[in-house]
Amino acid sequence: MSINDITNAAAAMNALKVRYQEFFDDTDNDIGQRRAAYDGLASDLSGIVDNKLTATFYIDAENGDDTSDKGNVPNPLNTLAEAFSRMVPGGKYIVKLFGDQTHIIQDSLNASNAHISIDRYGGENRPRMVSLTSSSHPTIDYCTNIQLFNSSVYVTGVDLETELAEKGSPHFSSGMFSCSNDSSVKTLYSDVLLGDFPIVVTNAGHFCSFVFQHGNVSREDGSIQNTKMMYAQTGSIFISSASVPAGDAWSDYVNVIRDANGASQNIISNLVL
């Protein structure tokens, strides 16, 4: 091999080395670009998930707009139904109802594995949340409700009301909050006006706890008079710093079952008055 051949071979090796280096440089750049794109995508997805799993919805029943993509104070939603439709299982949500207004539960709303706080904003007086009587069945009355599956709801400063039965035959297991799988409802500084439907019902075979604190309970004129605050086969109810109208007893509003000897046989336990 001549000196010229060796020189040519060395030049070819050097050229090949440059090409390999350019290849690896391009690969490194490509990997870097892909990693940056991945990190950006991961960040975007995390933001989307966080926005879905944690959110605050402001609702103005008079001036809100359910097409609003914000649901904030300047651009509130109009209905509870829209707020619940934006919730996903496993999330934590705050629902704020504008004061001085009546907020209707228009249909059956659902919450699964969720933690929901419902309170007020704006206005001078507490808002009301009302379950309507549904006339879909020809002979039995049901009410619109919020169905809780392994979920908790904490209501603060929002009054609760159920309507009168239109047919005079309310279904015993229909109430504002319908609970399954260890769900819970807690109210604080919220008054209750009972029509012909309870506030909390527990589906058969499931457990639900109901805490009612610092509120007043009364019954709507014209009700069938035997509606209780809670209907449950198994569950618990805790009441403190609360009152019923003069002349009424708590047994008019809470299930208390006793045997012939006066011993408590409550289907709802842990009653504290």
Side-chain angles (χ1 to χ4, degrees):
M1 179 178 293
S2 66
I3 295 297
N4 189 48
D5 290 337
I6 294 175
T7 301
N8 291 337
M13 288 291 293
N14 288 332
L16 183 60
K17 180 179 178 180
V18 170
R19 291 180 59 189
Y20 270 109
Q21 187 61 52
E22 290 174 347
F23 170 79
F24 285 117
D25 287 345
D26 289 342
T27 302
D28 289 342
N29 290 334
D30 189 44
I31 291 174
Q33 291 173 359
R34 291 182 181 181
R35 185 178 297 279
Y38 172 81
D39 290 342
L41 177 60
S43 178
D44 291 343
L45 289 175
S46 178
I48 292 171
V49 170
D50 287 344
N51 288 336
K52 287 291 186 179
L53 288 176
T54 58
T56 298
F57 302 109
Y58 290 82
I59 301 177
D60 186 329
E62 297 178 3
N63 303 302
D65 182 358
D66 279 347
T67 64
S68 169
D69 61 347
K70 302 294 185 182
N72 55 15
V73 175
N75 302 283
L77 302 177
N78 181 246
T79 64
L80 284 160
E82 180 61 27
F84 274 78
S85 73
R86 299 187 184 193
M87 299 180 185
V88 297
K92 294 182 179 180
Y93 302 99
I94 299 173
V95 177
K96 289 186 172 290
L97 307 180
F98 197 87
D100 300 321
Q101 295 180 352
T102 297
H103 298 265
I104 302 298
I105 302 173
Q106 296 100 330
D107 207 339
S108 291
L109 312 180
N110 297 284
S112 178
N113 297 294
H115 300 279
I116 303 169
S117 295
I118 302 175
D119 58 30
R120 61 171 285 190
Y121 79 104
E124 297 182 0
N125 303 298
R126 291 189 298 214
R128 292 188 309 155
M129 190 164 70
V130 180
S131 284
L132 301 179
T133 298
S134 172
S135 58
S136 59
H137 193 280
T139 58
I140 299 175
D141 289 300
Y142 293 86
C143 72
T144 57
N145 58 24
I146 297 174
Q147 299 186 18
L148 304 177
F149 183 87
N150 194 32
S151 297
S152 62
V153 171
Y154 188 8
V155 182
T156 306
V158 175
D159 293 337
L160 308 178
E161 179 181 334
T162 61
E163 283 196 329
L164 299 176
E166 295 177 354
K167 305 177 184 68
S169 181
H171 196 275
F172 66 90
S173 65
S174 184
M176 177 176 285
F177 296 101
S178 178
C179 301
S180 300
N181 280 48
D182 295 332
S183 293
S184 64
V185 176
K186 182 177 182 179
T187 68
L188 182 66
Y189 298 110
S190 298
D191 292 341
V192 164
L193 179 62
L194 285 176
D196 290 330
F197 300 93
I199 298 300
V200 176
V201 296
T202 301
N203 295 323
H206 298 271
F207 182 92
C208 181
S209 63
F210 180 25
V211 176
F212 182 76
Q213 295 178 297
H214 297 282
N216 305 307
V217 185
S218 58
R219 199 178 297 280
E220 188 173 349
D221 292 339
S223 72
I224 59 177
Q225 298 298 311
N226 65 353
T227 303
K228 309 299 183 183
M229 292 179 65
M230 179 178 184
Y231 170 81
Q233 292 181 338
T234 56
S236 68
I237 184 168
F238 179 94
I239 300 174
S240 67
S241 302
S243 66
V244 296
D248 288 356
W250 273 107
S251 57
D252 297 328
Y253 298 90
V254 178
N255 287 315
V256 179
I257 300 175
R258 302 183 184 277
D259 62 20
N261 298 319
S264 175
Q265 298 293 319
N266 293 356
I267 57 172
I268 300 175
S269 62
N270 303 331
L271 179 60
V272 179
L273 301 178

